[in-house]
């Protein structure tokens, strides 16, 4: 490890971000979730506390179970337990691997002249297509002009720009699977579509990566370089490594317009960021002020409120903190006493969770009506370490029942104390420095000590002076930095802030007036809650990598004022230094040459530039053609966890800077969890790399990734065990299409998606089913087949009318569900059509026609078969672009004007397919399917595989019998019947002795002739055994129903359920008795 290579002196010199990275390797996994406040001054709001306790309790119990599990595994590890894992060197595959090996120049169309391989192979299918799509310009909005079905509407959206440091994870995969499905559907619908790609510069994360790289390669710190030298190192890294995430997105088959790719640190984008800052400042919405900010000592930077994780502690909890050896106890309330000045033997006890901050105390407050302390009003307290006298003040905000009822006031390190100090005109004393050490104001005995180590020294000193009064466990809420895990400190800093209240009001109104629609709608509650309580946004970050704030501190050369504190200086904002200098000269009445300008070294919060992405990526502030044509965007699709980090800020800044909402709809998908509903975490071993699902990975490869990670060795052992249980044979190669389809098949309008790799495997098997269906179709069409356009096809046979009507209604369901972003409904509809309607029913029913049919019927059947294959592939294409392109290219085309690719072919449109709608035919075939189901159940019951018995359909109702007779040929085929006979009444008709019976529906009975197909004696043994079991069940239920207290104690719902069960048993027994009679007669012959 890096830390082992550093001596103590060098370790102390490590930059803040490097320390965070080193500490991250040791960070405790068991941090409990959901904390709310950290100091006595930051007390929880009583009105909200009760509502949250149940949730916090559940989370605490979950964390307790995880801790117990980890302790159990650690104990086994400590005892020498070692589970031998089988060595596996090959990737499990669902099917044999087939590769596309025809030489093809990158960007040239794939050769599809050869026959299809025997089975679906992802690697074969996905080869060569993507580069061809890009080269042909199918993903560009300009291509729309070549579409014969083009529409006047525009559809645009931006990808949530992934961090330039990132690698593909399931969150990205879900995002692009959803977005690409919608984008491809809109493009096939004929819209002018633009999907803008991009990446975010990720200030903190990128700077950390490059600092670590420089240390590893040069043994140099960031501070050893000039700012420009360091930034050049970052740009070098970005060019070398920073585009990996975009290349991985291409593996997902995303149809982004790569020529419009945008990076948030590009020169044009950077100018847009500066323009936004200047405009907002001129409008009074950006200001500079000295305020308490959320400070991460590990990052040595301010962070915004929503980057703070508030986690609940129920009592004493030991946690790891960056830069502090061992673990630090939290959840303790310490009581100590201040001596009352001039009153011998009298003291005032105070309670606090932050005893180290008592060096910054400037007063003690009590409630004016607290009778315990009335006699101390106006008195002073003696500080035991500084010797200062602290006034005892009264304030109605003090909670008399909290602690001792006396509150120490530390305005430099608590928001509540700061406001109280302002009301009472108290001084502000900072005792914690930016790096988390104690300042010189604390005295030499504490100066330079880490704040948590200083805590122990303060407590020891209080005990030594006889002022320590005890400690007890205390529930509190601890604020943590979401990026570093460090405990947040409130520090008084001069920073830049965005005034949010007015912009938030507009964002609230936009949702309330339905100008902005959130999908699912339940997110509106969180939207309203957060925006109503919004505070001003601190946008200063103490980094080098990012957009340097376009603000300059101005001093007058040779002026005596140049040594004033920064907060007293004059700050001028300008797009350039020249602009700022000109502004300053005008304000001060000085010549530009007399002024010295120093640019603010801080950079802007990454989320500030990200909030500009929808319009800055299109050329704003210039009125470019793209901006005029594609802004506002039609849609924003992103994870629900970004509702406030990104979405709300885009809405606020977009409307403020452009006068328009950046989009009219926001579709928020949930978090992807593992199959057990757990959040994916490296330490749990349940993180799944999408590329491992696409390409497959052996267990050995999966575990090598864990061993090469930066996890603690104990965490690695635990994760490997979990991984071995989840993937004992590794992850099979499933392919991109299967992953996309599986992700979209989950309902994305709930709280979470519990992804099971088995779902992706099933999707891969579905790919194989589609593959085989097209092989069948191509063989059935034969050479020289000329298809008709859908508008020209008017089927005559009932089966053709039924399948095309099903296709029409499937297309209708898909279009309606796409509009509502119910992609799981679309996926289910397409899946059902392919597997059930097309493959299991229609294709099976037409086999006799294809093999022995007359030419006229054969041609009609082929036309229907072709239309189903063609249009069903188009329905599937938004989810499975590779598979559908590979198969669609091999289908014959209607004419030479047919589209070159399925991704620009017209999506099945109900307007053009309306003549296929035959709802009465679908209703009729439901009757037929009831007969088919009944016959197949009998075949299964009597284990008939190849035998084709005679089947009698007895139906006294003329209308239903006409339907059966109309479908006689496909009915006989799908029932695997040797012959099919229709009867009006079984009593008057002659049904052979060897027939078993079953009921298809209320008016139709089925008889199947088993004479010579089964052994009657064996069947009688089975039936009598079944009869005995059913009679025992019926007897038990009857006794229960006839019990004395049944009527009084059993609910109506339970009574109804029991009666249904009794009726069912009577029916089953009746059929068994009838079957017994049949087999007795057969045995007697």
């Amino acid at each position: 490890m890096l830390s082992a290579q550093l001596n103590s002196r060098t370790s102390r010199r490590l930059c803040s971000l490097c320390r965070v990275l080193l500490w991250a390797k040791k960070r405790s996994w068991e941090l409990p979730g959901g904390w709310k406040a950290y100091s006595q001054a930051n007390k929880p709001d009583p009105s909200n506390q009760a509502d949250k306790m149940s949730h916090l309790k559940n989370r605490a119990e979950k964390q307790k179970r995880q801790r117990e599990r980890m302790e159990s595994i650690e104990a086994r590890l400590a005892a020498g337990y070692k589970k031998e894992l089988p060595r596996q060197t090959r990737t499990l595959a669902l099917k044999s691997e087939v590769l596309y090996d025809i030489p093809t120049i990158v960007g040239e169309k794939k050769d599809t002249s050869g026959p299809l391989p025997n089975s679906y192979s992802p690697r074969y299918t996905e080869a060569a297509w993507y580069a061809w799509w890009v080269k042909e310009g199918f993903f560009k909005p300009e291509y729309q002009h070549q579409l014969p079905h083009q529409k006047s509407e525009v559809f645009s959206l931006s990808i949530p720009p992934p961090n330039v440091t990132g690698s593909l994870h399931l969150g990205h995969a879900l995002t692009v699977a959803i977005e690409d499905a919608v984008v491809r559907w809109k493009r096939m619908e004929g819209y002018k579509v633009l999907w803008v790609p991009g990446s975010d510069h990720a200030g903190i994360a990128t700077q950390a990566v490059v600092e670590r790289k420089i240390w590893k390669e040069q043994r140099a710190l960031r501070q050893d370089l000039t700012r420009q030298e360091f930034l050049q190192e970052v740009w070098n890294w970005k060019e070398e490594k920073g585009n990996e995430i975009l290349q991985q997105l291409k593996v997902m088959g995303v149809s982004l317009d790569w020529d419009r790719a945008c990076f948030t640190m590009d020169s044009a984008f950077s100018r847009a960021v500066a323009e936004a800052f200047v405009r907002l400042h001129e409008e009074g919405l950006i200001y500079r002020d000295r305020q308490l900010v959320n400070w991460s000592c590990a990052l040595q930077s301010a962070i915004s409120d929503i980057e703070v994780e508030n986690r609940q502690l129920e009592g004493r909890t030991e946690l790891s903190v960056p830069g502090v050896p061992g673990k630090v106890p939290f959840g303790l309330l310490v009581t100590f006493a201040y001596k009352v000045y001039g009153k011998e033997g009298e003291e005032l006890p105070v309670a606090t969770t932050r005893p180290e901050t008592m060096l910054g105390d400037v007063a003690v407050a009590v409630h004016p009506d607290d009778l315990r302390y009335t006699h101390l009003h106006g008195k002073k307290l003696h500080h035991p370490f500084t010797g200062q006298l602290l006034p005892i003040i009264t304030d109605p905000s003090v909670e008399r029942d909290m602690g001792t009822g006396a509150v120490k006031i530390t305005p430099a390190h608590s928001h509540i104390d700061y406001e109280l100090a302002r009301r009472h005109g108290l001084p502000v004393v900072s005792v914690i420095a930016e790096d988390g050490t104690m300042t010189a104001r604390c005295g030499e005995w504490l100066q330079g000590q880490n704040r948590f180590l200083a805590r122990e020294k303060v407590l020891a000193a209080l005990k030594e002076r006889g002022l320590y009064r005890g400690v007890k466990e205390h529930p509190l809420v601890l604020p943590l930095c979401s990026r570093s895990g460090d405990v947040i400190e409130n520090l008084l800093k001069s920073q830049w802030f965005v005034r949010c209240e007015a912009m938030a009001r507009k964002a609230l109104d936009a949702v309330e007036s339905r100008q902005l629609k959130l999908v699912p709608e339940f997110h509106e509650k969180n939207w309203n809650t957060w925006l109503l309580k919004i505070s001003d946004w601190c946008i200063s970050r103490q980094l080098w990598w990012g957009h340097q704030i376009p603000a300059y501190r101005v001093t007058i050369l040779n002026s005596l004022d140049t040594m004033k504190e920064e907060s007293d200086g004059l700050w001028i904002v300008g797009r350039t230094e020249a602009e700022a200098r000109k502004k300053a000269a005008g304000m001060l009445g000085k010549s530009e040459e007399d002024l010295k300008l120093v640019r603010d070294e801080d950079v802007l919060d990454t989320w500030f530039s990200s909030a500009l992405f929808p319009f800055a990526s299109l050329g704003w502030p210039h009125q470019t053609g793209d901006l005029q044509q594609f802004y506002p965007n039609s849609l924003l699709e992103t994870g629900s966890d970004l509702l406030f980090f990104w979405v709300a800020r885009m809405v606020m800044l977009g409307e403020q800077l452009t006068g328009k909402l950046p989009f009219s709809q926001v579709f928020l998908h949930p978090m992807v969890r593992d199959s057990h509903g757990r959040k994916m975490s490296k330490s749990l071993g349940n993180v799944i790399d999408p590329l491992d699902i696409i390409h497959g990975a052996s267990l050995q490869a999966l575990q090598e990734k864990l061993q090469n990670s930066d996890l603690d060795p104990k965490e690695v052992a635990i994760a490997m065990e979990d991984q071995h249980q989840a993937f004992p044979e590794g992850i099979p190669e499933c392919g991109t299409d299967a992953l996309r389809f599986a992700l979209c098949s989950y309902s994305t309008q709930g709280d979470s998606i519990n992804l099971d790799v088995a779902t992706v495997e099933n999707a891969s098997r579905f790919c194989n089913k589609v593959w085989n269906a097209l092989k069948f179709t191509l063989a059935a069409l034969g050479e020289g087949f000329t298809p008709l356009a859908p508008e020209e096809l008017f089927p005559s046979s009932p089966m053709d009318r039924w399948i095309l009507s099903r296709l029409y209604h499937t297309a209708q369901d898909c279009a309606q569900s796409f509009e509502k972003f119910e992609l799981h409904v679309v996926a289910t509809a397409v899946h059902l059509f392919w597997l059930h309607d097309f493959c299991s029913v229609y294709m099976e029913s037409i086999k006799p026609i294809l093999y022995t049919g007359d030419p006229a019927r054969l041609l009609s059947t082929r036309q229907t078969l072709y239309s189903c294959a063609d249009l069903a592939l188009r329905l599937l294409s938004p989810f499975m672009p590779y598979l559908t392109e590979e198969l669609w290219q091999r289908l014959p085309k209607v004419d030479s004007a047919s589209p070159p690719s399925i991704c620009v072919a017209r999506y099945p449109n109900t307007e053009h397919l309306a003549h296929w709608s035959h709802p009465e035919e679908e209703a009729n075939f439901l009757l037929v399917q009831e007969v088919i189901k009944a016959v197949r159940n009998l075949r299964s019951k009597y284990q008939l595989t190849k035998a084709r018995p005679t089947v009698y359909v007895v139906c006294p109702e003329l209308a239903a019998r006409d339907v059966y007779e109309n479908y006689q040929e496909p009915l006989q085929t799908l029932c695997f019947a040797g012959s099919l006979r229709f009867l009006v009444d079984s009593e008057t008709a002659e049904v052979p002795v060897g027939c078993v019976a079953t009921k298809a529906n209320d008016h139709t009975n089925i008889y199947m002739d088993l004479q010579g197909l089964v052994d009657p004696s064996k069947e009688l043994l089975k039936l009598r055994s079944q009869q005995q079991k059913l009679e025992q069940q019926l007897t038990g239920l009857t006794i229960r129903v006839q019990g004395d207290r049944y009527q009084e104690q059993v609910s109506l719902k339970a009574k109804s359920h029991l009666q249904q069960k009794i009726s069912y048993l009577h029916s089953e027994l009746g059929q068994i008795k009838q079957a017994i009679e049949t087999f007795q007669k057969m045995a007697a012959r």
Side-chain angles (χ1 to χ4, degrees):
M1 289 177 60
L2 180 59
S3 56
Q5 301 168 1
L6 304 176
N7 58 39
S8 59
R9 181 175 59 85
T10 307
S11 295
R12 286 194 297 271
R13 291 179 61 241
L14 272 177
C15 65
S16 59
L17 289 177
C18 285
R19 287 201 300 272
V20 174
L21 291 167
L22 293 174
W23 171 82
K25 296 184 178 181
K26 302 181 291 181
R27 186 181 177 191
S28 171
W29 74 275
E30 74 270 29
L31 295 180
W35 304 341
K36 185 173 189 276
Y38 174 39
S39 67
Q40 181 183 349
N42 291 336
K43 295 180 287 292
D45 182 356
S47 63
N48 294 334
Q49 191 73 0
D51 295 337
K52 296 184 178 180
M53 287 308 296
S54 176
H55 172 66
L56 296 175
K57 182 180 179 182
N58 292 337
R59 297 192 69 175
E61 290 175 350
K62 180 179 179 182
Q63 293 292 340
K64 181 181 178 182
R65 290 194 299 270
Q66 291 177 334
R67 283 197 300 273
E68 290 173 348
R69 181 174 175 277
M70 183 176 183
E71 288 167 1
S72 172
I73 296 174
E74 284 182 340
R76 281 154 47 207
L77 291 171
Y81 169 83
K82 183 177 181 181
K83 187 169 184 175
E84 291 295 329
L85 301 178
R87 292 191 58 81
Q88 183 191 40
T89 57
R90 69 179 185 85
T91 299
L92 178 68
L94 285 171
K95 55 198 76 66
S96 58
E97 184 177 287
V98 181
L99 299 178
Y100 174 75
D101 54 8
I102 300 175
T104 304
I105 299 172
V106 175
E108 294 299 314
K109 187 176 181 180
K110 186 175 182 179
D111 187 340
T112 57
S113 60
L116 282 171
N118 290 332
S119 61
Y120 167 69
S121 165
R123 297 194 188 195
Y124 177 93
T125 304
E126 295 170 18
W129 287 120
Y130 195 84
W132 178 64
W133 291 334
V134 172
K135 183 182 178 182
E136 292 297 312
F138 297 144
F139 303 161
K140 300 183 71 62
E142 291 79 8
Y143 193 86
Q144 188 230 18
H145 296 302
Q146 301 183 41
L147 302 180
H149 56 286
Q150 62 180 275
K151 295 182 178 180
S152 58
E153 294 96 333
V154 168
F155 183 81
S156 61
L157 77 161
S158 302
I159 192 173
N163 287 349
V164 71
T165 58
S167 59
L168 189 69
H169 58 64
L170 281 173
H172 295 135
L174 175 62
T175 297
V176 297
I178 293 171
E179 292 181 14
D180 198 38
V182 174
V183 162
R184 287 177 178 271
W185 167 62
K186 286 290 187 179
R187 189 179 291 118
M188 294 175 73
E189 283 274 283
Y191 285 74
K192 191 170 192 176
V193 174
L194 173 61
W195 187 17
V196 180
S199 56
D200 190 273
H201 64 278
I204 293 174
T206 304
Q207 182 160 315
V209 168
V210 176
E211 286 195 41
R212 183 169 57 184
K213 177 177 180 290
I214 292 172
W215 176 256
K216 182 178 180 180
E217 295 177 353
Q218 305 175 28
R219 283 297 185 265
L221 304 177
R222 169 169 58 93
Q223 293 83 349
D224 297 331
L225 282 66
T226 66
R227 184 171 188 146
Q228 289 306 313
E229 288 172 341
F230 177 77
L231 292 179
Q232 187 57 53
E233 291 282 348
V234 180
W235 279 108
N236 292 342
W237 174 88
K238 191 266 178 185
E239 292 304 315
E240 180 184 355
K241 300 283 189 178
N243 291 321
E244 284 185 4
I245 181 68
L246 300 183
Q247 298 305 316
Q248 291 171 334
L249 287 176
K250 293 179 181 179
V251 175
M252 290 291 296
V254 294
S255 57
L256 290 152
D257 184 354
W258 293 106
D259 291 339
R260 287 177 166 90
C262 178
F263 177 48
T264 54
M265 284 293 287
D266 287 342
S267 57
F269 201 102
S270 296
R271 287 192 294 272
V273 172
E275 179 70 25
F277 187 94
V278 172
R279 290 192 188 184
L280 292 170
H281 181 264
E282 290 173 346
E283 294 166 2
L285 294 174
I286 285 183
Y287 64 96
R288 185 175 177 84
D289 194 15
R290 190 168 179 81
Q291 295 184 19
L292 284 183
V293 299
N294 301 310
W295 187 267
S296 171
C297 299
L299 300 176
Q300 291 196 26
S301 176
I303 63 173
S304 66
D305 290 345
I306 59 176
E307 291 173 300
V308 177
E309 291 182 4
N310 291 315
R311 297 194 177 179
Q312 178 71 36
L313 299 181
E314 300 301 328
R316 180 186 172 94
T317 308
E318 294 188 352
L319 304 174
S320 296
V321 177
V324 182
K327 292 190 175 183
V328 179
F330 296 93
L332 299 174
L333 188 67
V334 174
T335 302
F336 68 92
Y338 277 120
K339 295 295 184 181
V340 179
Y341 180 71
K343 295 283 185 178
E344 187 68 29
E346 191 161 4
E347 65 183 32
L348 180 58
V350 296
T352 178
T353 60
R354 299 293 310 273
E356 68 277 10
T357 64
M358 60 98 59
L359 278 301
D361 287 357
V362 297
V364 172
V366 297
H367 195 281
D369 299 331
D370 193 334
L371 298 179
R372 292 173 296 176
Y373 304 123
T374 304
H375 67 290
L376 296 177
H377 291 183
K379 299 292 190 291
K380 295 183 183 295
L381 302 171
H382 179 263
H383 198 291
F385 304 128
T386 67
Q388 293 180 318
L389 296 180
L390 311 180
I392 300 174
I393 63 174
T394 61
D395 195 285
S397 66
V398 175
E399 295 182 30
R400 284 176 278 187
D401 298 331
M402 182 69 180
T404 65
V407 180
K408 58 189 286 297
I409 306 302
T410 318
H413 302 291
S414 163
H415 286 283
I416 294 177
D417 290 4
Y418 183 72
E419 291 302 319
L420 192 147
R422 289 179 63 181
R423 291 198 298 271
H424 292 270
L426 299 172
V428 178
V429 179
S430 296
V431 294
I432 298 176
E434 293 179 354
D435 61 356
T437 61
M438 306 304 285
T439 67
R441 297 292 294 266
C442 302
E444 292 185 1
W445 67 295
L446 290 178
Q447 183 179 357
Q449 293 279 324
N450 183 281
R451 61 203 189 280
F452 296 113
L453 299 179
R455 175 183 295 179
E456 300 305 317
K457 283 195 171 186
V458 169
L459 290 174
L462 288 170
K463 291 175 182 177
E464 184 179 335
R465 286 165 172 77
L467 299 174
Y468 180 77
R469 296 293 178 265
V471 63
K472 64 179 181 180
E473 293 195 31
H474 178 68
L476 57 79
V477 179
L478 193 70
L480 298 179
C481 173
S482 62
R483 295 185 177 275
S484 68
D486 193 16
V487 177
I488 292 297
E489 294 295 340
N490 297 138
L491 297 187
L492 195 60
K493 306 289 292 181
S494 291
Q495 307 277 273
W496 294 96
F497 295 85
V498 176
R499 221 180 296 274
C500 295
E501 186 177 356
M503 291 190 292
R505 183 67 258 171
K506 292 180 181 178
L508 285 165
D509 292 343
V511 171
E512 186 176 349
S513 65
R514 315 307 293 171
Q515 295 178 62
L516 178 64
K517 183 180 179 182
L518 302 183
V519 181
E521 288 188 3
F522 64 75
H523 289 294
E524 291 182 10
K525 182 179 179 181
N526 291 335
W527 177 268
N528 294 337
T529 300
W530 187 76
L531 288 175
L532 285 170
K533 296 180 179 180
I534 196 170
S535 57
D536 286 357
W537 171 19
C538 175
I539 54 175
S540 296
R541 297 293 179 270
Q542 288 63 45
L543 304 170
W544 281 1
W545 173 245
H547 298 103
Q548 192 171 354
I549 295 174
Y552 302 81
R553 184 167 182 255
V554 181
T555 55
I556 302 172
L557 293 176
N558 302 319
S559 170
L560 296 178
D561 296 336
T562 56
M563 299 305 292
K564 283 187 177 181
E565 287 292 322
E566 177 185 294
S567 58
D568 297 327
L570 173 64
W571 286 87
I572 297 294
V573 170
R575 297 166 182 82
T576 62
E577 182 176 338
E579 180 182 311
R581 186 178 295 275
K582 185 175 181 180
K583 282 184 180 180
M587 289 179 63
L588 298 173
K590 299 286 185 179
S591 68
E592 295 184 20
E593 292 75 15
D594 291 338
L595 303 179
K596 178 183 177 182
L597 273 67
V598 178
R599 188 169 183 176
D600 193 336
E601 291 190 353
D602 293 348
V603 301
L604 289 165
D605 181 4
T606 301
W607 292 108
F608 182 86
S609 54
S610 297
L612 312 178
F613 197 85
F615 48 95
S617 61
L618 297 174
W620 184 90
H622 305 293
Q623 290 300 310
T624 63
D626 277 359
L627 186 67
Q628 294 175 23
Q629 190 170 188
F630 300 111
Y631 185 82
N633 287 174
S634 310
L635 171 72
L636 174 75
E637 194 285 330
T638 190
S640 56
D641 55 323
L642 296 182
L643 183 61
F644 309 123
F645 277 102
W646 192 42
V647 180
R649 288 164 169 174
M650 278 191 288
V651 171
M652 291 192 297
L653 294 188
E655 187 170 31
Q656 184 66 35
L657 293 168
T658 70
K660 302 175 182 177
L661 290 171
F663 27 74
S664 56
Q665 291 189 92
V666 180
F667 177 37
L668 298 158
H669 67 250
M671 178 182 290
V672 182
R673 299 179 181 272
D674 71 6
S675 58
H676 303 292
R678 302 177 301 174
K679 183 177 179 180
M680 291 195 175
S681 165
K682 287 182 180 179
S683 61
L684 291 176
N686 63 350
V687 173
I688 304 174
D689 185 340
L691 297 179
D692 287 339
I693 299 179
I694 291 171
H695 303 308
S698 65
L699 177 62
Q700 183 178 349
L702 294 173
Q703 304 223 314
E704 284 174 355
K705 282 187 179 183
L706 282 175
Q707 292 169 335
N708 295 331
S709 69
D710 58 358
L711 291 176
D712 181 271
K714 287 184 178 179
E715 291 179 335
V716 169
I718 295 167
M720 287 178 68
E721 182 175 290
D722 273 6
Q723 205 175 61
H724 179 255
Q725 292 178 1
F727 310 113
E729 297 181 0
I731 299 176
E733 178 188 18
C734 296
T736 297
D737 287 329
L739 176 60
R740 288 169 55 118
F741 189 81
L743 288 170
C744 291
S745 67
Y746 286 93
S747 174
T748 53
Q749 302 199 11
D751 294 327
S752 63
I753 290 176
N754 298 345
L755 179 68
D756 191 341
V757 173
T759 303
V760 189
E761 293 179 46
N762 288 334
S764 188
R765 294 187 181 95
F766 173 52
C767 291
N768 195 57
K769 188 74 172 179
V770 174
W771 185 275
N772 288 332
L774 260 291
K775 284 176 65 70
F776 174 88
T777 299
L778 292 171
L781 297 180
E783 297 292 332
F785 173 76
T786 303
L788 295 174
E791 296 84 351
E792 301 173 357
L793 181 59
F794 293 87
S796 57
S797 76
M799 279 306 294
D800 288 352
R801 287 197 302 272
W802 171 78
I803 190 61
L804 292 178
S805 186
R806 286 295 308 122
L807 180 56
Y808 166 84
H809 285 107
T810 300
Q812 185 180 58
D813 293 342
C814 289
Q816 292 173 352
S817 298
F818 257 130
E819 290 288 356
K820 294 184 287 187
F821 304 113
E822 295 176 344
L823 272 66
H824 63 292
V825 178
V826 182
T828 300
V830 176
H831 185 266
L832 181 65
F833 178 83
W834 272 100
L835 283 190
H836 179 260
D837 298 336
F838 188 46
C839 293
S840 296
V841 177
Y842 182 73
M843 285 174 53
E844 291 298 326
S845 73
I846 63 172
K847 286 181 179 178
I849 300 173
L850 295 175
Y851 299 147
T852 60
D854 63 76
R857 290 186 65 197
L858 184 59
L859 180 59
S860 175
T861 300
R862 283 175 172 168
Q863 291 291 355
T864 301
L865 183 63
Y866 169 84
S867 292
C868 288
D870 176 22
L871 299 183
L873 284 174
R874 299 189 195 200
L875 291 174
L876 185 58
S877 184
F879 303 108
M880 295 185 168
Y882 291 112
L883 173 68
T884 53
E885 187 74 86
E886 181 74 35
L887 299 176
W888 189 82
Q889 288 289 344
R890 296 168 186 271
L891 285 172
K893 301 299 180 280
V894 174
D895 54 44
S896 59
S898 295
S901 167
I902 193 172
C903 64
V904 291
R906 185 170 64 189
Y907 196 79
N909 188 306
T910 53
E911 180 182 341
H912 297 93
L913 306 180
H915 61 292
W916 287 354
S917 177
H918 297 288
E920 73 289 347
E921 205 70 74
E922 293 186 54
N924 288 342
F925 195 68
L926 287 175
L927 281 177
V928 175
Q929 287 179 305
E930 289 176 351
V931 173
I932 295 169
K933 180 181 178 181
V935 173
R936 289 186 174 183
N937 285 341
L938 284 177
R939 291 181 62 87
S940 174
K941 184 176 183 179
Y942 295 105
Q943 299 179 358
L944 303 182
T945 53
K946 297 181 180 180
R948 293 184 175 270
T950 299
V951 174
Y952 299 87
V953 179
V954 180
C955 178
E957 291 194 11
L958 179 61
R961 195 166 64 253
D962 286 344
V963 169
Y964 298 146
E965 291 175 349
N966 193 37
Y967 279 93
Q968 179 170 0
E969 185 178 15
L971 182 55
Q972 181 175 336
T973 301
L974 295 171
C975 287
F976 302 101
S979 62
L980 192 64
R981 300 182 185 179
F982 299 101
L983 304 175
V984 176
D985 188 345
S986 60
E987 294 181 1
T988 58
E990 293 185 3
V991 176
V993 173
C995 285
V996 290
T998 189
K999 201 172 186 65
N1001 50 49
D1002 291 340
H1003 49 69
T1004 306
N1005 291 314
I1006 306 298
Y1007 294 85
M1008 180 184 290
D1009 189 356
L1010 297 182
Q1011 190 71 45
L1013 301 178
V1014 296
D1015 184 339
S1017 58
K1018 290 182 179 180
E1019 295 301 328
L1020 285 169
L1021 288 174
K1022 292 179 190 177
L1023 290 168
R1024 284 173 178 144
S1025 175
Q1026 293 173 15
Q1027 183 182 34
Q1028 185 179 3
K1029 290 179 181 178
L1030 292 177
E1031 286 175 342
Q1032 289 175 352
Q1033 292 180 35
L1034 183 60
T1035 300
L1037 289 176
T1038 303
I1039 292 172
R1040 182 178 175 185
V1041 169
Q1042 294 174 350
D1044 295 337
R1045 298 184 179 180
Y1046 175 78
Q1047 295 298 332
E1048 295 82 11
Q1049 294 183 346
V1050 180
S1051 67
L1052 290 175
K1053 184 176 181 180
K1055 289 177 183 177
S1056 175
H1057 177 73
L1058 286 171
Q1059 288 300 326
Q1060 289 176 9
K1061 197 167 185 179
I1062 291 172
S1063 297
Y1064 170 76
L1065 290 174
H1066 278 299
S1067 174
E1068 286 291 298
L1069 281 170
Q1071 291 187 34
I1072 287 175
K1073 289 177 182 177
Q1074 187 178 5
I1076 287 174
E1077 292 176 4
T1078 298
F1079 286 117
Q1080 285 175 338
K1081 291 177 182 178
M1082 288 175 62
R1085 294 182 65 177

